[in-house]
Amino acid sequence: MCHFFQSPLNKTKKLIGDAGISFTNAFVASPLCCPSRASILTGKYPHNHRVINNTIEGNCSSKAWQKSEEGQTFPALLKAYAGYQTFFAGKYLNQYGHSDAGGVEHVPPGWSYWVGLEKNSKYYNYTLSVNGKAQKHGANYSKDYLTDVLANMSLDFLQYKSNYQPFFMMVSVPAPHSPWTAAPQYQDKFNTTKAPRDPNFNIHGKDKHWLIRQAKTPMTNSSVQFLDDAFRKRWRTLLSVDDLVEKIVTRLEVRGELDNTYIFFTSDNGYHTGQFSLPLDKRQLYEFDIRVPLMVRGPNIKPNQTSQVLVANVDLGPTVLDIAGYSVNKTQMDGMSFLPIMGKMNSSSWRTDILVEYEGEGSNVSDPACPLLGPGVSECFPDCVCEDSYNNTYACVRTVAPSANLQYCEFDDNEVFVEVYNVTADPYQLTNIAKTIEQEVLEKMNRRLMMLQSCSGQSCRTPGVYDSREQGNKWVN
């Protein structure tokens, strides 16, 4: 992901990453917005919070989710038990504000001040729920461009909040989600930028799951133009995010609050643009879809640190609660606090594996634009290359240890298809070694996967196959 920081997020990298710690092995528990955001909020893997996709039927912001999970999110615990004033602004869960989910009147518990975007990503012509009241926005840049509106509302919160209570802010910008509308002053930036031409760009994934094998290789020129254009547009939208980060950090500094505030910067999923000839989307098990940036600055975090320890989005809630003095053991969370790692702790006592899981979506009728593909597939744009199907349902153990950097995945399909990658030797995941790796390793990884797929709370934090907790070797540089 290093090439990502060449341009659009320079200020963010300087103000958060260089001023603190950057995690080079940060992952999401599921490579899709709603399940991933639910994991951030609850500290739980998808099999425990049961949000499986971006639809109400998939439990995204549903009444059932509100009843079972919403009251136990880490912001709700911060507000109820740690006396925090809390602020949310931006995209919450993709179906938030839907009439079947209580409409924009529903303000999730845990937020003292709530600015929630109705439904999915937009830059103009959207509705916000401001503490449960609808606020409609049009298409005037100076009043309505969402990234800037979120920045201004965040600055207002910092200005008017109480100085006698600790505070927590969550600013959730939709950028760089489609429709990729850049601010007017940034519309001509990155005109020559193209999607990275990594070794897996426009290559046929021959030993992979059938969904990857169906991609057309090489891609058509129009597909390549389309994904390069999307890549540029995504970068342009991030320039406004970079401005937002700068404004918030500057305001904290002016208020004398910067030195005692932790700032986290991360994302809810990766994205692919042309790898294995998949034009663009997410939902796949590969590094480009499950890996995210994670940078943190704050008290007792030395600047210019890089850590290779394995962290996941289920760890964010436990870490923030730990900062507030609330123990993860009092919760049902599956993640663990990485606060000790950012300070003095020797990381050899840290776990070496996490779970990644996804439930595929497919339509039960054929796509009229792509009739030959038959039912069971979805996201078949452009060129009838389908990015998802109902049997694109998998679970993976992602392992990062001193002696192993591995990914082991099983599909829940008729053949129980397996993909295994040695990410050290093969960072672009060109070669599936499931058929050549030692049987003993496969069996161990399979057992670990079964355990993680049924884990809950404390049992998700037990040592894995490659755990070095007994050996005491230090591997943070």
Side-chain angles (χ1 to χ4, degrees):
M1 289 293 284
C2 309
H3 51 245
F4 229 67
F5 289 129
Q6 272 168 14
S7 333
L9 294 170
N10 283 334
K11 295 188 280 198
T12 301
K13 184 177 180 301
K14 182 168 152 278
L15 293 169
I16 304 177
D18 297 352
I21 187 166
S22 299
F23 289 90
T24 55
N25 288 309
F27 293 92
V28 292
S30 191
L32 186 61
C33 344
C34 206
S36 179
R37 286 160 179 271
S39 285
I40 291 172
L41 289 161
T42 59
K44 293 178 181 180
Y45 286 123
H47 68 264
N48 289 328
H49 63 57
R50 297 306 304 136
V51 176
I52 56 170
N53 58 41
N54 291 346
T55 66
I56 287 254
E57 300 71 43
N59 206 23
C60 180
S61 211
S62 68
K63 288 273 173 70
W65 146 269
Q66 290 170 22
K67 209 165 132 189
S68 63
E69 301 298 330
E70 220 165 46
Q72 298 303 309
T73 61
F74 79 86
L77 297 173
L78 275 181
K79 186 168 182 282
Y81 298 109
Y84 273 65
Q85 51 191 327
T86 56
F87 168 87
F88 181 89
K91 178 177 168 180
Y92 179 58
L93 299 170
N94 303 52
Q95 298 297 334
Y96 171 76
H98 192 290
S99 52
D100 295 342
V104 292
E105 294 75 39
H106 171 68
V107 176
W111 301 103
S112 334
Y113 197 83
W114 171 259
V115 183
L117 175 67
E118 181 192 29
K119 301 203 184 135
N120 207 355
S121 310
K122 285 187 170 180
Y123 296 78
Y124 291 112
N125 300 310
Y126 52 86
T127 298
L128 295 175
S129 164
V130 180
N131 298 325
K133 289 198 174 53
Q135 183 186 92
K136 291 204 182 326
H137 281 263
N140 174 336
Y141 170 70
S142 60
K143 293 206 301 273
D144 301 312
Y145 187 66
L146 183 62
T147 310
D148 294 353
V149 169
L150 298 178
N152 292 335
M153 288 182 146
S154 302
L155 298 179
D156 283 349
F157 170 73
L158 288 174
Q159 202 59 37
Y160 298 117
K161 67 179 176 55
S162 155
N163 292 335
Y164 302 103
Q165 266 178 302
F167 71 95
F168 170 76
M169 298 173 68
M170 188 167 186
V171 185
S172 175
V173 287
H177 268 71
S178 67
W180 312 311
T181 314
Q185 69 271 30
Y186 295 139
Q187 271 161 4
D188 297 324
K189 295 280 191 240
F190 306 124
N191 276 339
T192 57
T193 301
K194 290 181 167 174
R197 298 313 199 244
D198 288 333
N200 54 9
F201 181 83
N202 212 359
I203 295 287
H204 190 244
K206 56 187 181 307
D207 51 9
K208 309 212 165 357
H209 187 240
W210 74 270
L211 187 64
I212 309 299
R213 297 197 302 268
Q214 58 87 38
K216 297 180 173 63
T217 307
M219 292 180 285
T220 61
N221 287 347
S222 60
S223 269
V224 174
Q225 276 179 331
F226 181 73
L227 68 88
D228 277 336
D229 186 47
F231 189 87
R232 278 191 284 279
K233 287 176 170 167
R234 286 163 59 80
W235 267 32
R236 288 170 189 148
T237 68
L238 287 173
L239 289 167
S240 295
V241 177
D242 208 33
D243 292 340
L244 171 147
V245 170
E246 181 184 45
K247 285 174 194 162
I248 290 176
V249 171
T250 303
R251 177 63 57 91
L252 285 167
E253 190 166 27
V254 168
R255 291 180 54 83
E257 294 175 327
L258 185 59
D259 292 344
N260 60 358
T261 303
Y262 288 89
I263 305 177
F264 293 72
F265 181 90
T266 189
S267 175
D268 56 354
N269 49 252
Y271 203 70
H272 55 258
T273 41
Q275 294 92 329
F276 303 132
S277 300
L278 298 168
L280 74 167
D281 196 42
K282 42 218 168 187
R283 305 166 214 268
Q284 307 303 337
L285 56 87
Y286 308 103
E287 293 286 283
F288 41 76
D289 283 1
I290 63 173
R291 194 178 262 283
V292 287
L294 174 60
M295 304 182 279
V296 191
R297 71 171 287 170
N300 303 320
I301 300 178
K302 290 196 188 72
N304 293 309
Q305 286 189 82
T306 307
S307 172
Q308 290 152 9
V309 299
L310 180 67
V311 290
N313 60 353
V314 293
D315 300 326
L316 293 164
T319 304
V320 174
L321 289 174
D322 192 6
I323 289 169
Y326 191 84
S327 166
V328 68
N329 296 329
K330 293 188 191 164
T331 72
Q332 303 294 303
M333 293 182 179
D334 302 332
M336 41 203 294
S337 166
F338 53 85
L339 180 62
I341 285 177
M342 299 193 286
K344 303 277 190 294
M345 179 182 119
N346 173 349
S347 60
S348 63
S349 58
W350 187 251
R351 51 103 210 270
T352 58
D353 58 22
I354 53 152
L355 175 69
V356 178
E357 46 192 352
Y358 179 67
E359 272 190 48
E361 284 183 86
S363 166
N364 52 13
V365 291
S366 293
D367 184 332
C370 308
L372 296 176
L373 299 168
V377 291
S378 63
E379 312 295 326
C380 301
F381 176 85
D383 291 328
C384 291
V385 174
C386 300
E387 300 275 2
D388 208 0
S389 67
Y390 66 88
N391 69 355
N392 180 39
T393 295
Y394 56 81
C396 306
V397 181
R398 185 70 181 85
T399 299
V400 177
S403 60
N405 186 355
L406 278 180
Q407 186 178 21
Y408 170 91
C409 300
E410 286 178 17
F411 280 85
D412 185 9
D413 59 12
N414 299 344
E415 46 181 341
V416 192
F417 194 79
V418 175
E419 294 190 32
V420 184
Y421 299 95
N422 175 347
V423 187
T424 307
D426 178 21
Y428 296 100
Q429 296 173 299
L430 298 169
T431 310
N432 176 6
I433 56 172
K435 301 233 177 1
T436 54
I437 196 169
E438 303 86 10
Q439 198 56 36
E440 187 197 4
V441 175
L442 279 180
E443 282 166 16
K444 277 183 174 167
M445 296 303 278
N446 165 271
R447 280 200 300 275
R448 183 63 179 158
L449 181 62
M450 306 287 266
M451 204 241 83
L452 282 172
Q453 278 189 280
S454 58
C455 77
S456 174
Q458 182 59 50
S459 62
C460 301
R461 309 195 280 268
T462 54
V465 177
Y466 288 94
D467 262 55
S468 54
R469 298 185 198 186
E470 291 71 50
Q471 298 147 35
N473 45 11
K474 189 166 181 356
W475 52 288
V476 176
N477 56 356

